[in-house]
Amino acid sequence: MSDAVLGAAAIARAPAIRAKVGRDDRLMLVFTLVIGLYLVVSLALPILFMLWKSTEVRAFAYSAVEMQVDTGQGPTSVGTLADVAGKLGLLSDVDQARRANSLTAAQLFPKRAFDGAPLKSVRMRFSGGSADGRLDLSGKPVEAGQWAEVPAQDLRRLVLRAGTQRSLANYAAYFSNPALTQSIANSLAVSLITTAIVVLLAFGFAYGLSRTMMPLKGLFRTIAMVPILVPSLLAGISLVYLFGNQGLLKDLMFGARIYGAGGIVAGCVFFTFPHAFLIISTALAVSDARLYEAARVLRTTPRRTFFTVTLPGARYGLISAAFVVFTLTITEFGVPKVVGGDFNMLAVDIYKQVVGQQNFAMGAVVSVILLIPAVVAFFVDRTVTARQVALLTARAVPYAPQPNRPLDWAAFAFCSVVAGLLLLVVGVSQFAALVKFWPYDLSLSFQHYAFEGVDGGGWGSYFNSLQLALYTAIIGTLVVLVGGYIVEKGRGFVAARTGLHFLAMLPMAIPGLVLGLSYIFFFNDRSNPFNFLYGTMAILVVSTITHFYTVSHLTALTALKAMDREFEAVAASLKQPVTRMFTRVTLPVCLPTGLDIAAYYFVNALTTVSAVVFLYAPTTTLAAVAALNMDDAGQIQPAAAMCMLIFYTNLAARGVHAVLTRVLASTQAWRAR
Amino acid sequence: MTLVAADIALAPAAAPERPPYLVVTNVTKRFKTFLALKGVSLEVREGEFVCFLGPSGCGKTTLLRAIAGLDIQSSGTITQGGRDISALPPEERDFGIVFQSYALFPNLTVRGNIAFGLENRGMNRGDVSARVEELLALIGLTEHGEKYPSQISGGQQQRVALARALAPGPGLILLDEPLSALDAKVRIHLRNELKQLQARLGVTTIMVTHDQDEALSMADRIVVMNMGVIEQIGTPLEIYNDPATRFVADFVGAMNFFDGAVSHENEVQVGGVRLAVDGRTPARGAQVTVAIRPEDVRILGAHPSAGLDAPNTLKVEVGDAEFLGSEVRLSLNYFTSGPMVAQTSQESVRALGIQPGKRIDVCLPADRLRIFMSGANHV
Ligand SMILES: Nc1ncnc2c1ncn2[C@@H]1O[C@H](COP(=O)(O)OP(=O)(O)OP(=O)(O)O)[C@@H](O)[C@H]1O
Ligand SMILES: [Mg+2]
């Protein structure tokens, strides 16, 4: 008894040990700060800056402007502009600024009279203080607090300039404009319909591949991945060639037009299919064979087995796939841009506001609106995925399908139709890219690959894109591996590492267009020390690395988790710095994963449009963006040619990736198990 | 001059008790609200082989990692070779470590693994490879130097991990369940090999294990832990023969426990029987637990030395007999609080014709009975 009391007292009294910061800790801290700074500058700050900017409006600071008029009795104060705004017929401070950024005294007194009395002169003074804005006299700024006086005949020399104001006026303007808010309903509807269709198709496809003995599974698996290798707008182009006014299958439309919701859904189904297929087939692959045996022993009907075993087993996969497809669709820009017609979607609205109307503030507002469903879907998906992991780690026996002729042939027929449609979409673009003059001269030619006289930069864009893809693949992979290493293997600095992980997960929830727009705000600001990046290849590389960071990060984490947790402890006990550990062991062991990440970055850098569409400069035009611009300019055949060029490049990249992976496995004896 | 001479003259008389090499003083470790170590103190002498023994979750690994600096303790101090290392990061301490998983670098050969800790510290290539060959010879894997970890057996991997830890010549070797990933045969073989290697090199070693046979057969001294405290520190013989607490008695080896009360000095009443005990007894009427090891229960007739009139003789019925090779474990029904277990040789079972249901006489020698206070852990 007394021992225990003594012990407790001693524990309470003992001073806490403060661990000394060692060399490895310092090294880790430096790398944590570097990667953390990268993610803060390339992600957190731009997004926050955009949120800030979305609440910024131009307004005249009426109440900061004092005025005196002279109608013969000498200068007489009439109070501030706010006091006389009604009398002078001014609009509200914000509305007036929306009309024009400046206001001359001549506009205040169009009749050169005040209260019916003719004016001799007007004096104004700007109190400054917290209000933003300025008075100019004869083109020169007047210092705050100084009176500026103009005689009646020179009223236009005195100019009041609008400043900025924090308010939700932009949001109010957005919600009072039905043409804009209609997009919310449109986007939700298109996304929900696409999600339903894709999840059904992908489930059927994955079911056929994992649960039946149908032939040609490998081929189907490959074809399912094809949409990942092309820019999504290719689907739009193909749809136009299939069902547009001069489309091959126009008659199937019975007079309906492809431009609109139907076209968007069809295009989005195409490009989101592989994402859903991958997730669902992973979920089906972990299902436990023992459950099926139990069902057989209990003489459960196949139908019942399907509903009581198969579907529940795959439910997390289905839910996760649904959220991913939903997010991809609602944030999609390429497809609705090409086949949307006048059916407005949120993502296209952002583009139109920014590129079409130069209304950056409204672009920011739409971005914030678009962020909401994306962020919600992201968090739900993360929760669901966390549960799926628990299923994965359970010791399950993999399911081996048994021959079943009717089911196998039905699955084969279904998969053939789906795969056929996927190939048709790509094939039509390829055909259109190769014929001389659609639809009048269908003889073959490579003329569209010359990209002569087209918008967007032609072959120059292609080589820029290659450059971007290579830089992104190499730099991105290194950044991601180092970042993942810190998160997974670092010691101490728990808060910093948790923060790093959070930042790394965030890009998944940020639509590309939103990221791109936030870069305009952030990097184009002259007071930003990183302003020099604007308009360079570097900013394209940075935005692309960040845009596709999350999946890469998760891939890296998976590989790092598979490595022994004690390597770092062993290295420290052997007095070897953590950097040597990383380069001698971690990097070589993770090389195949590094290749996967590099391939992922490469392919996405070539196909992406959304983030970079706001960021390219005349010297850094990109292939996929060029295709978009050609399509916009009606040069659809060259656009198709450019998309196919990207496709073949990606195909080659995947080939190189496969060869390198195989070479690694066969030349590095230690990889053999 | 005279002083020095005096020192020399005095030295033998002053008993050359060298200061302990590793001293852990009042170490606690807190995980959020959970206290994994509750004021642990111990000393390890230079060249000693010490085992941390205890059930799963008792804090052995936590203590080892605190000594290594991998998870620094919340309070308390640790000194090694006179240097206070309490707050130092692992790379500033002096130890080699072998984990249960071995943590061999998969992309480096056996040689590469062993050389990993030798490179990058100003040794020239020739010295490094000479040292690597020396260690390869020491662990008997000279032939396998160019193989990768995945190409050698578990036992060989374990030896490579040990060689890698020994390579820079650390003053302390820490082993966290180094044998538990191996199958039984290899484990017993490596147990001896490891012990011999340690004795030959004379390197101070701490090994964590929850296998008592391992601890009893390898350690110079055993530190028995339970729920974040040290229950007893002693040689294997002391731990087995003189368990300081009921927990140690129960955890190390098999033990019969009976609840009773002190009836007289040196006498305890258990059920309807009075048992004479040697040594101190608590005050009369105190509730106690009486303990005896199965092999100390004497079956009369089997031991010619003990006559029927010996004290503490009981008549019991044989319940069950379990054959363990050369030995037999008998469960005997006597006390209501459950069967008593006795262990004896096959030979005496045969000689006495013992079989389930037979009634026999057993003796519980007074000098083999241990007394623990009920409730509290201690005597
Ligand atoms: N990082 C941690 N966070 C919270 N609790 C921990 C942590 N590490 C260990 N513990 C807890 O501390 C206690 C002691 O753990 P420790 O790993 O030292 O046990 P052990 O004696 O080595 O057991 P085993 O024989 O199973 O390896 C356990 O109850 C464990 O759950
Ligand atoms: Mg342990």
Side-chain angles (χ1 to χ4, degrees):
Chain A
M1 281 301 275
S2 65
D3 260 17
V5 172
L6 259 176
I11 291 167
R13 237 185 299 117
I17 297 278
R18 286 195 55 131
K20 188 180 158 219
V21 175
R23 173 197 57 195
D24 281 359
D25 297 309
R26 278 192 293 272
L27 278 172
M28 277 288 199
L29 189 60
V30 167
F31 281 104
T32 311
L33 289 178
V34 169
I35 306 280
L37 190 72
Y38 171 81
L39 285 174
V40 165
V41 168
S42 75
L43 179 67
L45 288 182
I47 296 290
L48 290 176
F49 199 65
M50 188 195 72
L51 286 178
W52 178 243
K53 284 285 184 183
S54 76
T55 64
E56 195 174 275
V57 283
R58 308 290 300 170
F60 289 104
Y62 287 163
S63 55
V65 181
E66 280 177 67
M67 191 161 70
Q68 294 179 349
V69 293
D70 183 353
T71 48
Q73 280 96 24
T76 317
S77 176
V78 296
T80 66
L81 265 188
D83 299 328
V84 292
K87 194 182 273 181
L88 299 177
L90 291 174
L91 297 175
S92 80
D93 53 353
V94 173
D95 290 342
Q96 192 70 43
R98 202 165 275 148
R99 280 207 172 160
N101 245 331
S102 55
L103 192 58
T104 66
Q107 284 170 276
L108 294 179
F109 306 99
K111 298 194 174 127
R112 293 190 195 172
F114 185 75
D115 276 346
L119 274 178
K120 291 182 80 174
S121 71
V122 172
R123 306 173 79 192
M124 283 201 235
R125 133 171 122 166
F126 193 83
S127 71
S130 63
D132 198 5
R134 208 176 66 204
L135 267 181
D136 283 357
L137 182 61
S138 309
K140 292 210 183 72
V142 181
E143 251 183 73
Q146 295 276 327
W147 284 108
E149 182 169 350
V150 279
Q153 62 275 19
D154 276 343
L155 282 181
R156 76 185 40 167
R157 279 172 48 212
L158 185 57
V159 181
L160 176 61
R161 303 219 174 264
T164 51
Q165 215 180 62
R166 295 279 135 225
S167 87
L168 294 178
N170 294 326
Y171 290 87
Y174 177 83
F175 283 106
S176 62
N177 184 345
L180 287 174
T181 46
Q182 179 62 40
S183 299
I184 300 179
N186 286 356
S187 285
L188 286 175
V190 161
S191 305
L192 288 174
I193 296 169
T194 305
T195 304
I197 296 174
V198 170
V199 169
L200 272 177
L201 288 181
F203 179 77
F205 204 85
Y207 186 88
L209 286 178
S210 72
R211 294 297 152 82
T212 74
M213 297 282 282
M214 69 178 198
L216 299 182
K217 284 185 184 179
L219 181 66
F220 284 133
R221 213 177 289 277
T222 310
I223 293 174
M225 289 301 113
V226 162
I228 283 186
L229 305 181
V230 297
S232 58
L233 65 105
L234 173 134
I237 292 175
S238 290
L239 285 170
V240 169
Y241 280 121
L242 282 170
F243 303 109
N245 298 336
Q246 300 171 334
L248 295 171
L249 307 175
K250 189 178 72 183
D251 297 342
L252 289 181
M253 300 290 289
F254 299 109
R257 282 164 53 84
I258 187 69
Y259 298 98
I264 302 178
V265 168
C268 289
V269 167
F270 171 80
F271 95 91
T272 57
F273 179 81
H275 300 271
F277 165 71
L278 274 182
I279 296 171
I280 295 175
S281 56
T282 309
L284 282 176
V286 299
S287 293
D288 197 337
R290 291 171 299 184
L291 294 176
Y292 287 88
E293 263 160 37
R296 271 237 307 282
V297 171
L298 294 171
R299 293 178 197 284
T300 316
T301 63
R303 221 182 108 89
R304 226 179 112 70
T305 308
F306 180 82
F307 283 105
T308 54
V309 179
T310 308
L311 269 188
R315 71 178 178 278
Y316 292 130
L318 290 172
I319 296 172
S320 181
F323 277 104
V324 166
V325 172
F326 179 85
T327 312
L328 283 172
T329 308
I330 204 165
T331 59
E332 168 59 8
F333 163 63
V335 171
K337 177 81 181 57
V338 174
V339 289
D342 44 20
F343 185 85
N344 288 332
M345 297 261 294
L346 286 170
V348 182
D349 282 350
I350 299 179
Y351 182 77
K352 284 184 184 160
Q353 288 296 331
V354 171
V355 172
Q357 311 192 6
Q358 300 282 312
N359 189 344
F360 292 83
M362 193 52 78
V365 170
V366 186
S367 294
V368 173
I369 306 285
L370 183 56
L371 263 179
I372 295 168
V375 168
V376 169
F378 166 78
F379 279 106
V380 177
D381 179 50
R382 290 311 304 160
T383 328
V384 171
T385 314
R387 299 220 189 129
Q388 168 99 38
V389 170
L391 272 185
L392 265 166
T393 47
R395 218 59 226 121
V397 181
Y399 177 81
Q402 302 295 318
N404 174 345
R405 278 188 72 87
L407 180 66
D408 294 350
W409 283 109
F412 183 71
F414 175 79
C415 291
S416 302
V417 170
V418 173
L421 287 175
L422 295 179
L423 288 183
L424 176 69
V425 169
V426 178
V428 165
S429 274
Q430 178 60 92
F431 183 57
L434 283 177
V435 300
K436 276 208 179 113
F437 188 42
W438 186 285
Y440 307 107
D441 181 357
L442 295 184
S443 57
L444 299 183
S445 133
F446 278 111
Q447 69 184 37
H448 298 300
Y449 284 90
F451 304 119
E452 270 160 14
V454 297
D455 279 31
W459 280 97
S461 314
Y462 174 74
F463 290 115
N464 282 341
S465 269
L466 267 191
Q467 211 182 347
L468 169 67
L470 283 174
Y471 283 142
T472 306
I474 294 167
I475 302 172
T477 304
L478 276 177
V479 171
V480 162
L481 281 178
V482 172
Y485 185 76
I486 292 165
V487 167
E488 181 60 30
K489 306 285 181 183
R491 68 176 194 219
F493 307 114
V494 179
R497 288 192 289 124
T498 312
L500 202 60
H501 182 59
F502 177 78
L503 283 177
M505 295 304 297
L506 217 49
M508 183 94 105
I510 310 286
L513 278 179
V514 176
L515 189 70
L517 178 58
S518 72
Y519 273 38
I520 300 186
F521 281 121
F522 185 68
F523 288 100
N524 198 21
D525 195 298
R526 299 224 178 279
S527 56
N528 185 340
F530 295 101
N531 178 251
F532 68 91
L533 287 175
Y534 200 72
T536 64
M537 175 60 80
I539 199 170
L540 297 176
V541 174
V542 168
S543 75
T544 309
I545 290 175
T546 306
H547 186 183
F548 298 103
Y549 200 95
T550 307
V551 171
S552 313
H553 176 70
L554 288 175
T555 309
L557 280 194
T558 308
L560 289 164
K561 277 198 170 91
M563 291 179 76
D564 199 304
R565 295 193 305 128
E566 310 293 5
F567 281 169
E568 282 65 32
V570 168
S573 78
L574 295 171
K575 314 274 181 292
Q576 300 298 324
V578 65
T579 41
R580 182 159 185 267
M581 170 73 213
F582 183 74
T583 50
R584 280 295 304 277
V585 180
T586 314
L587 269 191
V589 172
C590 286
L591 206 53
T593 306
L595 286 179
D596 291 348
I597 296 173
Y600 171 81
Y601 263 136
F602 187 94
V603 166
N604 279 299
L606 273 191
T607 58
T608 191
V609 176
S610 54
V612 291
V613 75
F614 290 145
L615 301 174
Y616 70 91
T619 51
T620 58
T621 53
L622 297 174
V625 179
L628 189 81
N629 289 335
M630 292 177 207
D631 176 82
D632 214 24
Q635 301 150 341
I636 308 182
Q637 286 185 270
M642 188 59 95
C643 288
M644 292 315 292
L645 206 52
I646 292 172
F647 173 64
Y648 292 119
T649 310
N650 276 336
L651 214 54
R654 293 308 287 248
V656 169
H657 170 252
V659 168
L660 282 181
T661 305
R662 207 161 279 181
V663 165
L664 277 189
S666 62
T667 56
Q668 299 192 301
W670 55 272
R671 289 198 196 275
R673 276 276 149 196
Chain B
M1 279 311 275
T2 46
L3 263 175
V4 173
D7 273 355
I8 291 167
L10 280 173
E17 175 84 353
R18 272 194 295 169
Y21 179 66
L22 184 79
V23 183
V24 175
T25 313
N26 220 346
V27 161
T28 64
K29 176 70 184 181
R30 189 186 294 274
F31 292 112
K32 302 226 169 73
T33 57
F34 176 72
L35 259 187
L37 295 175
K38 306 169 185 165
V40 167
S41 300
L42 66 102
E43 296 180 348
V44 179
R45 289 187 284 273
E46 190 150 6
E48 207 177 10
F49 193 126
V50 167
C51 275
F52 294 171
L53 176 67
S56 187
C58 71
K60 308 178 294 285
T61 300
T62 306
L63 180 54
L64 195 80
R65 292 180 74 89
I67 293 171
L70 296 171
D71 282 311
I72 289 181
Q73 70 274 20
S74 313
S75 70
T77 57
I78 301 175
T79 63
Q80 181 180 2
R83 185 166 74 120
D84 186 348
I85 57 167
S86 307
L88 296 185
E91 62 268 23
E92 291 177 34
R93 302 190 183 199
D94 175 23
F95 70 96
I97 192 161
V98 176
F99 291 100
Q100 184 175 0
S101 63
Y102 314 139
L104 292 177
F105 305 133
N107 62 323
L108 303 182
T109 59
V110 167
R111 277 200 178 83
N113 267 281
I114 298 176
F116 190 82
L118 299 170
E119 292 157 2
N120 204 21
R121 44 166 88 201
M123 269 170 92
N124 70 37
R125 270 163 186 252
D127 290 350
V128 168
S129 67
R131 175 75 177 143
V132 170
E133 292 315 310
E134 182 187 338
L135 284 156
L136 275 176
L138 188 71
I139 58 170
L141 290 180
T142 307
E143 322 275 79
H144 302 285
E146 287 311 306
K147 288 190 177 169
Y148 289 100
S150 60
Q151 298 168 328
I152 57 179
S153 73
Q156 291 169 331
Q157 289 176 17
Q158 198 272 337
R159 280 181 278 173
V160 175
L162 183 65
R164 180 179 63 183
L166 287 169
L172 177 66
I173 290 284
L174 304 175
L175 310 166
D176 191 356
E177 312 223 9
L179 303 174
S180 64
L182 302 168
D183 56 51
K185 264 241 171 78
V186 184
R187 185 150 60 189
I188 290 175
H189 171 72
L190 273 182
R191 211 188 260 177
N192 299 330
E193 201 166 289
L194 187 61
K195 174 66 190 156
Q196 279 167 17
L197 193 63
Q198 189 271 339
R200 182 139 50 99
L201 299 174
V203 56
T204 314
T205 304
I206 297 177
M207 182 173 99
V208 161
T209 178
H210 58 237
D211 178 341
Q212 46 167 306
D213 292 340
E214 216 165 273
L216 290 171
S217 65
M218 296 171 78
D220 295 326
R221 282 193 306 148
I222 298 176
V223 175
V224 186
M225 298 179 62
N226 182 33
M227 307 210 316
V229 298
I230 292 179
E231 294 272 341
Q232 186 175 7
I233 304 180
T235 64
L237 221 59
E238 285 166 353
I239 299 283
Y240 193 83
N241 288 335
D242 272 319
T245 67
R246 196 195 144 133
F247 171 81
V248 177
D250 197 12
F251 187 71
V252 180
M255 188 71 94
N256 292 297
F257 292 102
F258 318 114
D259 292 331
V262 177
S263 48
H264 286 290
E265 189 153 339
N266 296 338
E267 193 186 86
V268 178
Q269 172 100 25
V270 178
V273 186
R274 281 159 192 256
L275 295 174
V277 298
D278 277 5
R280 256 175 355 112
T281 39
R284 211 192 238 213
Q287 297 293 311
V288 294
T289 301
V290 180
I292 185 164
R293 294 217 181 269
E295 67 267 30
D296 289 336
V297 175
R298 276 188 212 160
I299 295 168
L300 297 183
H303 300 267
S305 60
L308 275 172
D309 53 345
N312 298 353
T313 300
L314 315 169
K315 280 196 186 309
V316 296
E317 188 189 285
V318 177
D320 224 355
E322 184 188 351
F323 290 89
L324 313 165
S326 63
E327 300 270 283
V328 181
R329 186 178 295 156
L330 302 170
S331 89
L332 310 171
N333 297 321
Y334 188 83
F335 300 111
T336 46
S337 58
M340 166 164 63
V341 177
Q343 190 161 329
T344 185
S345 67
Q346 273 269 24
E347 186 204 326
S348 57
V349 168
R350 224 175 305 124
L352 294 171
I354 294 176
Q355 60 193 53
K358 188 176 164 87
R359 307 190 129 256
I360 55 172
D361 294 309
V362 297
C363 163
L364 312 181
D367 61 333
R368 310 306 303 165
L369 285 176
R370 318 210 58 79
I371 307 255
F372 301 102
M373 289 290 282
S374 293
N377 222 344
H378 295 262
V379 177

